Amino acid sequence: MSKQSKSKDPSSKGRAVGQAVVELFDKMSLHGDAAVDIAVVKLDHLLADPSIDIDEVVELMTSVQHLLEFVLCVSSDYGFGILSIAILQRQPSTAEDYPSSLLYKLLAQLSRSLCLPYERTSDTPPVLSAHRRSIELAFSVLQAVTHLNATDALAEQMGDDPGSGRWAAKNEEKRHQKRKRSIHTGRAPPVDIVKSIIQYGAPVPTSKRQAAELVTTVVAEQTSILQEVFNMFRKEETIAFFKTTYLPIPPAPTPLTVTIPTQRTRSATTALTPFVPMTGTQQGAFPLVQPIKAALYFENADGFGAWRIQMSTRADRDLRRWRNEDAKMFDIIVNKIKDLSHGNFTKDNHKKLTGVEVDIPIYEAKMTRDSRLVYHIHCDIDFEDNVERQGLIRIFGVYTHAQIDGRFWDTMSRQLGYNGSEYRRRCIFRDRPSNQRGDYTVLPASFEVRSDTEQEVVTPSSSTTDHPDLTREDKEELHSLIALEKFVTFSQAFLNSILADQDVAHVFGVSHREKEIIEHDSSCFVIGRSGTGKTTTMVFKILGIERTYDTGSFRYAMAKPRQLFVTQSQVLAKKVEEYYAKLHQSYATAHLSPDELLEIASQSRTRRERMVDEDEEIFYTSTLPRRFGALEDTHFPLFLTYNHLCRLLENEFRHLVEQEKIDAHRASLLRDIMKLRPRPTRTRPAAYLQEERDTFLDYDTFREIYWSHFPENPLNPDLVWGEFVAVIKGSAGALKSDLGYLDKETYVGHGHSRSQTVSPAQRETVYALFEVYTKRRKLHGHHDPADRTRMLIRCLKAAGVPGKALNFIYVDEAQDNFLIDSLVLKALCSNPHGLFWAGDTAQTIAAGSSFRLGDLKAQLYDVEKNPLSISKRARPQTFYLTRNYRSHSGIVDCAHSIVELITNYWSTAIDDLPRERGMSPGEKPIFFSDHDAAKLQQSLFRDVSGGGVIEFGARQCE
């Protein structure tokens, strides 16, 4: 229910809403399409209250030149529908009321406005010209009726019927005599008015009843014309014209100068020359982030109603299957979904599948004799995060009558009920059916946003969620629908991707906390265990910023935003890039014509894929430039490993020196820092690069070449390598040291608190091994990851960021990096609000990582305290994600018990998070204490219940 105050009358509400609309669409505050998108979202909420007086709203909108026309052009389908329907329902009942009616005022104004794009009358479309003639003629006809009503020329209503026979003749003779007397007394209507009725094609009324019928006919026809006029404002050429007419011309872009801070080293202390990496502004949050919510989320498909439809992954598969197998059945399903979107909750469309004593009702909608849509009503926070809409219909899939099991859906209902009592109340609430739209038509309600406590999902304990009447397949399906399914909006892009038979991905519904992260307008830290949505929030934010730039007016005011996703894992970087490409492709289908969709669907979709296992091969076979300064705007957004990024920077600095792209002083500094030697003129580039690559020392090389030559010790090589590169050489203290690493006294003593896994007694041994390692590394001419990062920091200090700087950097699995790596990434980002760090030290996979995200926060804060910092300090906000979408509560609870043991015995080893919770119940994992390989294999792959063998696959881990 809307929270509009009941103490206000409709007129007062209308004036208040009208004034709000005028302020919302103030042309001086609408700096481009992105700002318009936000205003459009807010307009939907202002118009959602059906009790407002639409006359008052429109009167205030028409007081601003072209405001109403602009709103009709840019409003969402939902807002346009509410506004147009409310206006069309305001019909005058008499001819006397017509000149002052909203119907006539808008017909006159809007028809004139639609003619503005045409300089000559002859250029006006014939349909529009015909409408204008009809509007003028209708006004004259109703004026004539007004004059007839004001005279005695029309018979009274009780004597309207002329009768038959001689009585009819007498009545007609009396009326004729009365009209003659009216002429002699000067009360006859003007001849031109009578002619207008004849031109209209209607007989001149002789009675008040005939006059009333003529008024009804004319008003109905004019209402129909106004509906067509409204639709003309939704055409692309009309939208483009009124955007240009109403919106101010954007100001010319101004270049921004960004200076890389000077850092003290023994090599140089020279201040850096300013670079001009982009055009734009750095005042406050980056401008592309602010309208991201309007750019990222889809509206319903064209022609759909106010109830937003969300499709599960299974429902998507069902639609694609029927599209390929039976086009007629596909059309039936789409039409039924469209019917539900209009709130047409008839008995066949809104039949309960679940019993009486359930939490959240599950419904079925009958389509054919044996096919049903299964769905439930869901409540979620709308784009603005200040209102919660009931208008979400989540469709689980298309089922036959035999496939529908009441026990299964009763269990599903109870699981959904764990979202809380307030959620249950809002889902079952139904606003009163609108009699004007049909006996069964229901509009969605709106509520205040629930508090964090009310939104918390209560995961049931295993004792209360044992379902003995469900089969294993049913339990897996239950977990899939509750936790694994991704519900996406039934948008035009979604529908077109099915029509075009494209394998794309769509933005799906996320939790309130994830949405808050995506829409956050500054830097942030996101901490969460595996499967809680960290990477999803990153990809959605990248997509939202990219789409804001592509669809808005920012492209005319600033350079394309350079966004970089960076991680240690090549597999993760590749998968994220592929996922982003599918998401971006889904937007491309939103505005395709039917012929274009058919053409795409008819094409064979072949894709050449090549598996790459090593970062080195990616670097030397990639189509990307091999140096950072050669990257162009078209390469972004970019998805790289940190190793690949470092190679790009190394090659760039080498290029600056060898090609003499910088002054002699800075070239000399870079040559000393990088220990550059002249490149052999006769050596092939590939061989030279291979030689350069062989000097880099990673963990595998360390274990193969170095570890066997160390004195015998009880330590693990992973732990020792981590202490070498992440603590002794890769910590913030090491960066400040003139040696380039911590001395023995600092490391072994209690002065260094960053060593999380080595006891004080073991540090003596570790440092002794480090001294051996340092001698052998110099002997082999190797440099390790910490050496490389330190070198890059010094190069950035000496020469600045080469080429264009980055605007947004997303660091996934940040715990796999060294602390000093963050300084390189921060230096590359010109936007102080553009750093996104996500990770969890409980799931470190890279050898050598030994820090917490709390340490990262502290280091970045220390850097920003430097008065020579890049720009204004932007303190990042920390978000915690604790809802696991990948595993059920049995697995999540087991993992939490292990984390508790770690934090109890090693309190500083990993980040301390709020307790993680699963979305669905599940059985507790089984621990194997028998190390017999044959028995273990039988336990893992033997189906005890059926006696068969379970093949290893994705479901083995569920």
Side-chain angles (χ1 to χ4, degrees), residues 211-271:
E213 291 174 352
L214 178 59
V215 171
T216 302
T217 301
V218 173
V219 169
E221 290 178 1
Q222 294 303 297
T223 302
S224 178
I225 290 176
L226 182 58
Q227 177 66 72
E228 293 182 27
V229 168
F230 280 154
N231 292 336
M232 290 180 181
F233 284 93
R234 309 299 281 181
K235 294 182 178 180
E236 291 183 3
E237 58 271 19
T238 307
I239 294 173
F241 175 80
F242 282 103
K243 278 186 176 181
T244 305
T245 303
Y246 185 79
L247 291 177
I249 300 174
T254 56
L256 170 71
T257 300
V258 176
T259 303
I260 302 300
T262 301
Q263 298 180 16
R264 290 186 175 273
T265 65
R266 291 195 307 175
S267 300
T269 58
T270 307

Coordinates of all heavy atoms in Angstrom, one line a residue, residues 211-271:
A211 N -28.9 15.2 -28.6 CA -27.8 16.0 -28.4 C -26.8 15.4 -27.4 O -25.6 15.4 -27.6 CB -28.2 17.4 -27.8
A212 N -27.3 14.7 -26.4 CA -26.4 14.0 -25.4 C -25.8 12.9 -26.1 O -24.6 12.6 -25.8 CB -27.3 13.6 -24.2
E213 N -26.5 12.2 -27.0 CA -25.9 11.0 -27.7 C -24.7 11.5 -28.6 O -23.7 10.9 -28.7 CB -26.9 10.3 -28.5 CG -27.9 9.5 -27.6 CD -29.0 8.9 -28.4 OE1 -29.2 9.2 -29.6 OE2 -29.8 8.1 -27.8
L214 N -25.0 12.7 -29.3 CA -23.9 13.2 -30.1 C -22.7 13.6 -29.3 O -21.6 13.4 -29.7 CB -24.5 14.4 -30.9 CG -23.5 15.2 -31.8 CD1 -23.0 14.2 -32.9 CD2 -24.2 16.4 -32.4
V215 N -22.9 14.2 -28.1 CA -21.8 14.6 -27.3 C -21.0 13.3 -26.9 O -19.7 13.3 -26.9 CB -22.3 15.3 -26.0 CG1 -21.1 15.5 -25.0 CG2 -22.9 16.7 -26.4
T216 N -21.7 12.3 -26.5 CA -21.0 11.0 -26.1 C -20.2 10.5 -27.2 O -19.0 10.0 -27.0 CB -22.0 10.0 -25.6 OG1 -22.8 10.5 -24.6 CG2 -21.4 8.7 -25.2
T217 N -20.7 10.5 -28.4 CA -20.0 10.0 -29.6 C -18.8 10.8 -29.9 O -17.7 10.2 -30.1 CB -20.9 10.0 -30.8 OG1 -22.1 9.2 -30.6 CG2 -20.2 9.4 -32.1
V218 N -18.9 12.1 -29.9 CA -17.8 13.0 -30.2 C -16.7 12.8 -29.1 O -15.5 12.7 -29.5 CB -18.2 14.4 -30.3 CG1 -17.0 15.4 -30.5 CG2 -19.2 14.6 -31.5
V219 N -17.0 12.8 -27.9 CA -16.1 12.7 -26.8 C -15.3 11.4 -26.9 O -14.1 11.3 -26.7 CB -16.7 12.9 -25.4 CG1 -15.8 12.5 -24.3 CG2 -17.2 14.3 -25.2
A220 N -16.0 10.3 -27.2 CA -15.4 9.0 -27.3 C -14.4 9.0 -28.5 O -13.3 8.5 -28.3 CB -16.5 7.9 -27.5
E221 N -14.8 9.6 -29.6 CA -13.8 9.7 -30.7 C -12.6 10.5 -30.4 O -11.5 10.2 -30.8 CB -14.6 10.2 -32.0 CG -15.6 9.2 -32.5 CD -16.3 9.8 -33.7 OE1 -16.0 10.9 -34.1 OE2 -17.2 9.1 -34.3
Q222 N -12.8 11.6 -29.7 CA -11.7 12.5 -29.3 C -10.8 11.8 -28.3 O -9.6 12.0 -28.3 CB -12.2 13.8 -28.8 CG -12.9 14.7 -29.8 CD -12.1 15.0 -31.0 OE1 -11.0 15.6 -30.9 NE2 -12.5 14.5 -32.2
T223 N -11.4 11.0 -27.4 CA -10.5 10.2 -26.5 C -9.7 9.2 -27.2 O -8.5 9.1 -26.9 CB -11.5 9.5 -25.5 OG1 -12.3 10.5 -24.8 CG2 -10.6 8.7 -24.5
S224 N -10.2 8.6 -28.2 CA -9.4 7.7 -29.0 C -8.3 8.4 -29.8 O -7.2 7.9 -29.9 CB -10.4 7.0 -30.1 OG -9.6 6.1 -30.9
I225 N -8.6 9.6 -30.3 CA -7.5 10.4 -30.9 C -6.4 10.8 -29.9 O -5.2 10.7 -30.2 CB -8.1 11.6 -31.6 CG1 -9.0 11.3 -32.8 CG2 -7.0 12.6 -32.0 CD1 -9.7 12.4 -33.4
L226 N -6.8 11.1 -28.7 CA -5.8 11.5 -27.7 C -4.9 10.3 -27.4 O -3.7 10.4 -27.2 CB -6.5 12.0 -26.4 CG -5.5 12.4 -25.3 CD1 -4.6 13.5 -25.8 CD2 -6.3 12.9 -24.1
Q227 N -5.5 9.1 -27.4 CA -4.7 7.9 -27.1 C -3.7 7.7 -28.3 O -2.5 7.4 -28.0 CB -5.6 6.7 -27.1 CG -4.8 5.3 -26.9 CD -4.1 5.2 -25.6 OE1 -4.8 5.0 -24.6 NE2 -2.8 5.3 -25.6
E228 N -4.1 8.0 -29.5 CA -3.1 7.9 -30.6 C -2.1 9.0 -30.5 O -0.9 8.7 -30.8 CB -3.9 8.0 -31.9 CG -4.8 6.8 -32.2 CD -5.5 6.9 -33.5 OE1 -5.0 7.5 -34.4 OE2 -6.6 6.4 -33.7
V229 N -2.5 10.2 -30.1 CA -1.5 11.2 -29.9 C -0.5 10.9 -28.8 O 0.7 11.1 -29.0 CB -2.3 12.5 -29.5 CG1 -1.3 13.6 -29.1 CG2 -3.1 13.1 -30.7
F230 N -0.9 10.3 -27.7 CA 0.0 9.9 -26.7 C 1.0 8.9 -27.3 O 2.2 9.0 -27.0 CB -0.8 9.2 -25.6 CG -1.4 10.1 -24.6 CD1 -2.5 9.7 -23.9 CD2 -0.9 11.4 -24.4 CE1 -3.1 10.6 -23.0 CE2 -1.5 12.3 -23.5 CZ -2.6 11.8 -22.8
N231 N 0.5 7.9 -28.1 CA 1.4 6.9 -28.6 C 2.5 7.5 -29.6 O 3.6 7.0 -29.8 CB 0.6 5.8 -29.4 CG -0.2 5.0 -28.4 OD1 0.1 4.9 -27.2 ND2 -1.3 4.4 -28.9
M232 N 2.1 8.7 -30.2 CA 3.1 9.3 -31.1 C 4.3 9.8 -30.4 O 5.4 9.9 -31.0 CB 2.4 10.5 -31.9 CG 1.4 10.1 -32.9 SD 0.6 11.5 -33.7 CE -0.5 10.6 -34.8
F233 N 4.1 10.1 -29.1 CA 5.3 10.6 -28.3 C 6.2 9.5 -27.9 O 7.3 9.7 -27.3 CB 4.8 11.3 -27.0 CG 4.2 12.7 -27.3 CD1 2.9 12.9 -27.5 CD2 5.1 13.8 -27.3 CE1 2.4 14.2 -27.8 CE2 4.6 15.1 -27.6 CZ 3.3 15.3 -27.8
R234 N 5.9 8.2 -28.2 CA 6.8 7.1 -27.9 C 7.6 6.7 -29.1 O 8.4 5.8 -29.0 CB 6.0 5.9 -27.5 CG 5.0 6.2 -26.3 CD 5.7 6.7 -25.1 NE 6.3 5.6 -24.3 CZ 6.9 5.8 -23.2 NH1 7.1 7.0 -22.7 NH2 7.4 4.7 -22.6
K235 N 7.5 7.4 -30.3 CA 8.3 7.1 -31.4 C 9.7 7.7 -31.3 O 9.8 8.8 -30.7 CB 7.6 7.7 -32.7 CG 6.3 7.0 -33.0 CD 5.7 7.6 -34.3 CE 4.4 6.9 -34.7 NZ 3.8 7.5 -35.9
E236 N 10.6 7.1 -31.8 CA 12.0 7.4 -31.6 C 12.3 8.9 -32.1 O 13.0 9.6 -31.5 CB 13.0 6.4 -32.3 CG 13.0 5.1 -31.7 CD 13.9 4.1 -32.4 OE1 14.7 4.6 -33.3 OE2 14.0 3.0 -32.0
E237 N 11.7 9.2 -33.3 CA 12.0 10.5 -33.8 C 11.4 11.6 -33.0 O 12.0 12.7 -32.8 CB 11.5 10.6 -35.3 CG 10.1 10.4 -35.5 CD 9.7 8.9 -35.7 OE1 10.6 8.1 -35.4 OE2 8.6 8.6 -36.2
T238 N 10.2 11.4 -32.4 CA 9.6 12.3 -31.5 C 10.4 12.5 -30.2 O 10.6 13.6 -29.7 CB 8.2 11.9 -31.2 OG1 7.5 11.7 -32.4 CG2 7.4 13.0 -30.4
I239 N 10.9 11.4 -29.7 CA 11.7 11.4 -28.4 C 12.9 12.2 -28.7 O 13.3 13.0 -27.8 CB 12.0 10.0 -28.0 CG1 10.7 9.2 -27.6 CG2 13.0 10.0 -26.8 CD1 10.9 7.7 -27.3
A240 N 13.6 11.9 -29.8 CA 14.8 12.7 -30.1 C 14.6 14.2 -30.2 O 15.4 15.0 -29.7 CB 15.5 12.1 -31.3
F241 N 13.5 14.5 -30.8 CA 13.2 16.0 -31.0 C 13.0 16.7 -29.7 O 13.5 17.7 -29.4 CB 12.0 16.1 -31.9 CG 11.5 17.6 -32.1 CD1 12.1 18.4 -32.9 CD2 10.5 18.1 -31.3 CE1 11.7 19.7 -33.1 CE2 10.0 19.4 -31.4 CZ 10.7 20.2 -32.3
F242 N 12.1 16.1 -28.8 CA 11.8 16.8 -27.6 C 12.9 16.7 -26.5 O 13.0 17.6 -25.7 CB 10.5 16.2 -27.0 CG 9.3 16.8 -27.7 CD1 8.6 16.0 -28.6 CD2 8.9 18.1 -27.4 CE1 7.5 16.6 -29.3 CE2 7.8 18.6 -28.1 CZ 7.1 17.9 -29.0
K243 N 13.8 15.7 -26.7 CA 15.0 15.7 -25.8 C 15.9 16.9 -26.2 O 16.4 17.6 -25.4 CB 15.8 14.4 -26.0 CG 15.3 13.3 -25.2 CD 16.2 12.1 -25.3 CE 15.8 10.9 -24.4 NZ 16.7 9.8 -24.5
T244 N 16.0 17.1 -27.5 CA 16.8 18.2 -28.0 C 16.2 19.6 -27.6 O 16.9 20.5 -27.3 CB 17.0 18.1 -29.5 OG1 17.6 16.9 -29.8 CG2 18.0 19.2 -30.0
T245 N 14.9 19.6 -27.7 CA 14.1 20.9 -27.5 C 14.1 21.2 -26.0 O 14.3 22.4 -25.6 CB 12.7 20.7 -28.0 OG1 12.7 20.4 -29.4 CG2 11.9 22.0 -27.8
Y246 N 14.0 20.2 -25.1 CA 13.8 20.5 -23.7 C 15.1 20.5 -22.9 O 15.3 21.4 -22.1 CB 12.9 19.4 -23.1 CG 12.5 19.7 -21.6 CD1 11.5 20.7 -21.3 CD2 13.1 19.0 -20.6 CE1 11.2 20.9 -20.0 CE2 12.8 19.3 -19.3 CZ 11.8 20.2 -19.0 OH 11.5 20.5 -17.7
L247 N 16.0 19.6 -23.2 CA 17.2 19.5 -22.4 C 18.2 20.6 -22.8 O 18.3 20.9 -24.0 CB 17.8 18.1 -22.5 CG 17.1 16.9 -21.9 CD1 17.8 15.6 -22.2 CD2 16.9 17.1 -20.4
P248 N 19.0 21.1 -21.8 CA 20.0 22.0 -22.2 C 21.2 21.4 -22.9 O 21.4 20.2 -22.8 CB 20.5 22.6 -20.8 CG 20.2 21.4 -19.8 CD 18.9 20.8 -20.4
I249 N 21.9 22.2 -23.7 CA 23.0 21.6 -24.4 C 24.2 21.4 -23.4 O 24.5 22.2 -22.6 CB 23.5 22.7 -25.5 CG1 22.4 22.9 -26.5 CG2 24.8 22.2 -26.2 CD1 22.7 24.0 -27.4
P250 N 24.7 20.1 -23.4 CA 25.8 19.8 -22.5 C 27.0 20.7 -22.7 O 27.4 21.0 -23.8 CB 26.1 18.3 -22.8 CG 25.6 18.1 -24.2 CD 24.5 19.0 -24.3
P251 N 27.7 21.1 -21.6 CA 28.9 21.9 -21.7 C 30.1 21.1 -22.4 O 30.1 19.9 -22.3 CB 29.2 22.3 -20.3 CG 28.6 21.2 -19.5 CD 27.4 20.7 -20.2
A252 N 31.0 21.9 -22.9 CA 32.1 21.2 -23.6 C 33.0 20.6 -22.5 O 33.2 21.2 -21.4 CB 32.9 22.3 -24.4
P253 N 33.6 19.4 -22.7 CA 34.4 18.8 -21.7 C 35.7 19.5 -21.5 O 36.2 20.2 -22.3 CB 34.7 17.4 -22.3 CG 34.6 17.6 -23.8 CD 33.5 18.7 -24.0
T254 N 36.2 19.4 -20.2 CA 37.4 20.0 -19.9 C 38.4 19.0 -19.4 O 38.0 18.0 -18.8 CB 37.3 21.0 -18.7 OG1 36.6 20.3 -17.6 CG2 36.3 22.2 -19.1
P255 N 39.7 19.0 -19.9 CA 40.6 18.0 -19.5 C 41.0 18.1 -18.0 O 40.9 19.1 -17.4 CB 41.9 18.3 -20.3 CG 41.7 19.8 -20.6 CD 40.3 20.1 -20.7
L256 N 41.3 16.9 -17.5 CA 41.6 16.8 -16.0 C 43.1 16.5 -15.9 O 43.6 15.5 -16.6 CB 40.8 15.8 -15.4 CG 41.2 15.4 -14.0 CD1 40.9 16.6 -13.0 CD2 40.5 14.1 -13.5
T257 N 43.8 17.2 -15.1 CA 45.2 16.9 -14.8 C 45.3 16.1 -13.6 O 44.8 16.4 -12.5 CB 46.0 18.2 -14.7 OG1 45.9 18.9 -15.9 CG2 47.5 17.9 -14.4
V258 N 46.0 14.9 -13.7 CA 46.2 14.0 -12.5 C 47.7 13.9 -12.3 O 48.5 13.6 -13.2 CB 45.6 12.7 -12.7 CG1 45.9 11.8 -11.6 CG2 44.1 12.8 -12.9
T259 N 48.2 14.1 -11.1 CA 49.6 14.0 -10.8 C 49.8 12.8 -9.9 O 49.2 12.6 -8.9 CB 50.1 15.2 -10.0 OG1 49.8 16.4 -10.8 CG2 51.6 15.2 -9.8
I260 N 50.8 11.9 -10.3 CA 51.1 10.8 -9.5 C 52.0 11.2 -8.4 O 52.9 12.0 -8.6 CB 51.9 9.8 -10.4 CG1 51.0 9.3 -11.6 CG2 52.3 8.5 -9.5 CD1 49.7 8.7 -11.1
P261 N 51.8 10.8 -7.1 CA 52.6 11.3 -6.0 C 54.0 10.9 -6.0 O 54.3 9.8 -6.6 CB 51.8 10.7 -4.8 CG 51.2 9.4 -5.4 CD 50.8 9.7 -6.8
T262 N 54.8 11.7 -5.5 CA 56.2 11.3 -5.3 C 56.4 10.5 -4.1 O 55.9 10.7 -3.0 CB 57.1 12.6 -5.2 OG1 56.9 13.4 -6.3 CG2 58.6 12.3 -5.0
Q263 N 57.2 9.4 -4.3 CA 57.5 8.5 -3.1 C 59.0 8.5 -2.9 O 59.8 8.5 -3.9 CB 57.0 7.1 -3.4 CG 55.5 7.0 -3.6 CD 55.1 5.6 -3.9 OE1 55.8 4.6 -3.7 NE2 53.8 5.4 -4.4
R264 N 59.4 8.5 -1.7 CA 60.8 8.5 -1.4 C 61.5 7.2 -1.6 O 61.0 6.2 -1.1 CB 61.0 8.9 0.1 CG 60.7 10.4 0.4 CD 61.0 10.8 1.8 NE 60.8 12.2 2.0 CZ 61.7 13.1 1.8 NH1 62.8 12.8 1.2 NH2 61.4 14.4 2.0
T265 N 62.5 7.2 -2.4 CA 63.4 6.0 -2.5 C 64.8 6.5 -2.6 O 65.1 7.7 -2.7 CB 63.1 5.3 -3.9 OG1 63.4 6.1 -5.0 CG2 61.6 4.9 -4.0
R266 N 65.7 5.6 -2.6 CA 67.1 6.0 -2.7 C 67.6 6.5 -4.1 O 68.6 7.1 -4.3 CB 68.0 4.9 -2.2 CG 67.9 4.5 -0.8 CD 69.0 3.7 -0.3 NE 69.1 2.5 -1.1 CZ 70.1 1.6 -0.9 NH1 71.0 1.8 0.0 NH2 70.2 0.5 -1.7
S267 N 66.7 6.1 -5.1 CA 67.1 6.4 -6.5 C 66.8 7.8 -6.9 O 67.5 8.5 -7.6 CB 66.4 5.4 -7.4 OG 66.8 4.2 -7.1
A268 N 65.6 8.3 -6.5 CA 65.2 9.6 -6.9 C 64.1 10.2 -6.0 O 63.4 9.5 -5.4 CB 64.6 9.5 -8.4
T269 N 64.1 11.5 -6.0 CA 63.0 12.2 -5.2 C 62.4 13.3 -6.1 O 61.9 14.3 -5.6 CB 63.7 12.8 -4.0 OG1 64.7 13.7 -4.4 CG2 64.2 11.8 -3.0
T270 N 62.5 13.2 -7.4 CA 62.0 14.2 -8.3 C 60.5 14.2 -8.4 O 59.9 13.1 -8.6 CB 62.6 14.0 -9.7 OG1 64.1 13.9 -9.6 CG2 62.3 15.2 -10.6
A271 N 59.9 15.4 -8.3 CA 58.5 15.4 -8.5 C 58.1 15.1 -9.9 O 58.9 15.2 -10.9 CB 57.9 16.8 -8.2

